[in-house]
Amino acid sequence: MALLQISEPGQAPDPHQHRLAAGIDLGTTNSLVATVRSGVSEVIEDESGRPLLPSVVRYCPGGTIAVGADALAQASTDAANTVVSVKRLMGRGLQDLHVDRGNYNFIEGEGMVRLRTRAGEKSPVEVSAEILRALRKRAEATLGGELSGVVITVPAYFDDAQRQATKDAGRLAGLEVLRLLNEPTAAALAYGLDNAAEGVYAIYDLGGGTFDVSILRLTKGVFEVIATGGDSALGGDDFDRGIAEWALRETGSLDASAQPGDWHESGDWRALLAEARRAKEALTRERVTTFSVQLSNATRVKLPLSVERFEDLSSELLARTLSATRQALRDARLRVDEIKGVVLVGGATRMPQVRRAVADFFGQEPLADIDPDTVVALGAAMQANLLAGNRSAGDDWLLLDVIPLSLGIETMGGLVEKIVHRNAAIPVARAQEFTTFKDGQGAMALHVVQGERDLVENCRSLARFELRGIPQMAAGAARIRVTFQVDADGLLSVSAKELSSGVEAHVAVKPSYGLSDEEIGAMLQSAHEAAGTDAQARALREQQVEADRMLEATRAALTEDGELLGAADRARVEILLTKLGQAREGTDHAAIRQAISALSIGTEAFAARRMDHAIARALAGRRLDEMGS
């Protein structure tokens, strides 16, 4: 007989059964790994005692690969084979890269960008996998065994493609990815549990390549994300870029007729960015520092950089973060004074002007009890420990995250029917029924989109698939249930099922690349600005679709039973059809509605005659006793 290994109620399980799990913060500038030991979440350091691993990968001569500090040291001298800030390339196509392209040799083609290196073509997923592999080795060497699973954090504003690319990188690194966790949520988890906090908190997360802001409600162990916002192409890298471009302009190294972007392909650009980062960090401690770089043409770019000048250079970037924060508060329907505390996350929040701006905005000093560089990994480790099955006393908490943008499907007239609305808690499943437009329609093409606008042309296409085998029915008779499922990682799958026959189709939405750098924020902004216009456009499309249906049905009825109308009645119906057709081509949805109503009223008598005629045909030749049975 098989035996079960169990523990007595209230007793801890066998310590030998403890599963090794870790949380990984895969960052733009630096990455790190953390785990829970003896009930405490802690960052795992390398053999030199460094907690941070620079997110840099170099493909070296001889086929070796360097990751971290060794790769970073060669970022300027071997720029074409040293990949930095790869997180900004995850899930992106060439047309999405509005930031500088560094010294990379991009390969033209569809889908996610690919880089040509001395080791061959490399995708951002492969590069990220090298970083994750290095973190995995560090963790397993310290913990003395293989990891059973990890939680990897992602920016809250990462779209479906970026999340999928991150999960693929984890698998490629040989990791069992238990969950993708939004970075602000991970930070709140670490902060909330450590401080037994309750109430509404804002998580202001400014990392190396992305900015996120989330509004969370913490209540008795439930971490509920109320709203999220941000910019997937705004981070510390952009502050560095501003300094580098300013230095080129001030010293005359940038020709008056040239654009800053012209420098972004040069071999000196990495050195300029590295010095800009050093100067930025120095200004957290000093009032003035010296920006100094020796260019390859023997020119030295050297000039003083003051705190005041840096704040002026970065004011626009900082304003963008506060604009997104205002929008998140509006989405949460909260006032600033209702926020109990503000948690700073990300190394870029060390900049004094950032902390000052956040304090002024919220009217309170932000919370900084936990190192902003490590807080995300610490929270991820807690979630990984729980998902691995290592539940201990006090682990009765629940995470309720949200999706950043609405998900929907295209309907007749190019309209978007939103099925899962943005800021909906995940995991989530939503279903809605649709029907066919034409008689005998045996298939339906489904187009899945993402965005806040009412018209498909203003949203982002995610996937297309077909449902075939729909039984032959009259228009509107078929019932097709479309179900959207978003899992805990924020990844989407869609299914469609015809309810009478049971035929079904399914697609796991996996686009080849994600939203462009500013597209997510722009979607929300344009939706807000165009709300009135969209409402008018939607009303017009809806009336046009109804007009098409009415015109087609009436003409089909005239073809089948036109003999039931006299010449005068037929002429009146034809006039009403012509008027509706003319209104249908216009842009006045009220006029179309009136023409539809007029045709409906004008054909009521015809419809009644058709009904009587149909009944008479059905009863013809039948006896009364047959009808009774």
Side-chain angles (χ1 to χ4, degrees), residues 289-601:
T289 189
T290 299
F291 183 97
S292 180
V293 175
Q294 181 78 38
L295 302 181
S296 57
N297 62 2
T299 301
R300 177 165 288 280
V301 177
K302 184 176 182 180
L303 69 169
L305 176 61
S306 67
V307 167
E308 292 75 19
R309 171 65 69 180
F310 180 39
E311 291 180 355
D312 182 59
L313 292 172
S314 59
S315 60
E316 183 179 343
L317 296 172
L318 198 50
R320 283 167 59 186
T321 71
L322 297 179
S323 176
T325 303
R326 287 189 194 92
Q327 184 60 54
L329 285 171
R330 284 195 292 267
D331 291 343
R333 297 179 181 177
L334 292 170
R335 302 184 310 274
V336 171
D337 59 10
E338 294 178 276
I339 302 299
K340 182 177 180 180
V342 186
V343 177
L344 295 182
V345 182
T349 60
R350 295 183 186 279
M351 290 184 282
Q353 66 265 43
V354 171
R355 297 198 172 197
R356 189 165 57 251
V358 172
D360 291 344
F361 181 88
F362 285 99
Q364 59 179 296
E365 286 299 317
L367 301 169
D369 294 18
I370 304 178
D371 183 348
D373 281 322
T374 63
V375 65
V376 167
L378 294 174
M382 294 176 182
Q383 177 72 350
N385 192 59
L386 186 67
L387 294 178
N390 302 322
R391 182 181 294 273
S392 57
D395 281 347
D396 296 324
W397 37 267
L398 175 67
L399 297 182
L400 299 176
D401 230 325
V402 299
I403 60 169
L405 286 172
S406 299
L407 299 162
I409 200 160
E410 179 179 358
T411 59
M412 288 299 299
L415 296 173
V416 177
E417 184 67 26
K418 295 174 185 173
I419 296 180
V420 180
H421 290 264
R422 73 184 178 100
N423 287 327
I426 58 174
V428 62
R430 294 280 188 273
Q432 194 162 323
E433 289 188 11
F434 298 87
T435 190
T436 50
F437 183 71
K438 293 185 177 182
D439 292 340
Q441 184 175 337
M444 177 179 286
L446 296 108
H447 183 198
V448 181
V449 296
Q450 182 180 38
E452 302 309 311
R453 301 290 294 275
D454 284 332
L455 302 184
V456 168
E457 63 197 49
N458 296 322
C459 292
R460 183 62 178 264
S461 173
L462 289 183
R464 297 175 185 269
F465 67 110
E466 294 182 350
L467 175 65
R468 295 188 173 275
I470 300 174
Q472 300 288 315
M473 301 183 191
R479 293 171 58 207
I480 292 97
R481 175 174 292 168
V482 177
T483 303
F484 277 49
Q485 290 182 304
V486 182
D487 64 18
D489 296 328
L491 301 177
L492 169 68
S493 62
V494 183
S495 63
K497 182 177 183 179
E498 201 288 308
L499 298 182
S500 65
S501 63
V503 295
E504 189 170 6
H506 176 274
V507 62
V509 178
K510 190 175 180 180
S512 58
Y513 53 89
L515 298 176
S516 61
D517 289 340
E518 299 178 354
E519 208 164 15
I520 295 180
M523 280 181 174
L524 299 179
Q525 183 65 24
S526 63
H528 177 72
E529 294 173 351
T533 304
D534 280 358
Q536 292 290 325
R538 185 178 189 90
L540 175 62
R541 293 286 179 89
E542 288 175 342
Q543 292 305 315
Q544 287 174 334
V545 170
E546 179 61 18
D548 290 341
R549 187 195 66 78
M550 192 75 173
L551 288 167
E552 185 172 334
T554 304
R555 286 171 180 149
L558 288 174
T559 299
E560 185 176 348
D561 294 318
E563 72 278 2
L564 298 177
L565 290 175
D569 289 339
R570 175 73 180 248
R572 280 193 289 273
V573 172
E574 291 289 355
I575 290 172
L576 291 172
L577 282 170
T578 300
K579 288 183 176 179
L580 177 54
Q582 292 171 342
R584 162 65 177 81
E585 297 305 315
T587 58
D588 187 345
H589 64 85
I592 300 175
R593 187 188 304 111
Q594 292 173 358
I596 291 172
S597 178
L599 179 58
S600 178
I601 294 171

Side-chain angles (χ1 to χ4, degrees), residues 140-277:
E140 291 180 344
T142 300
L143 299 177
E146 292 188 5
L147 292 175
S148 62
V150 299
V151 167
I152 302 176
T153 61
V154 293
Y157 246 40
F158 256 25
D159 67 14
D160 191 84
Q162 292 165 305
R163 291 170 187 269
Q164 188 64 61
T166 303
K167 198 163 190 177
D168 290 345
R171 294 195 189 100
L172 190 59
L175 293 166
E176 176 67 27
V177 182
L178 302 173
R179 181 174 176 181
L180 299 180
L181 182 63
N182 285 350
E183 290 165 1
T185 309
L189 182 58
Y191 215 97
L193 290 183
D194 279 0
N195 293 273
E198 290 202 356
V200 179
Y201 285 78
I203 314 298
Y204 180 100
D205 183 357
L206 185 61
T210 58
F211 170 69
D212 288 308
V213 57
S214 293
I215 311 299
L216 295 93
R217 179 176 288 112
L218 280 59
T219 310
K220 295 181 179 178
V222 177
F223 294 75
E224 178 188 5
V225 181
I226 308 172
T228 189
D231 192 325
S232 61
L234 171 60
D237 285 358
D238 299 283
F239 290 78
D240 301 341
R241 186 174 296 107
I243 294 174
E245 292 177 351
W246 162 80
L248 291 175
R249 287 191 298 268
E250 287 293 303
T251 59
S253 301
L254 182 65
D255 190 277
S257 63
Q259 296 296 317
D262 297 339
W263 267 85
H264 298 175
E265 302 295 334
S266 75
D268 292 319
W269 183 242
R270 289 276 181 84
L272 287 162
L273 288 179
E275 175 62 8
R277 182 171 301 160

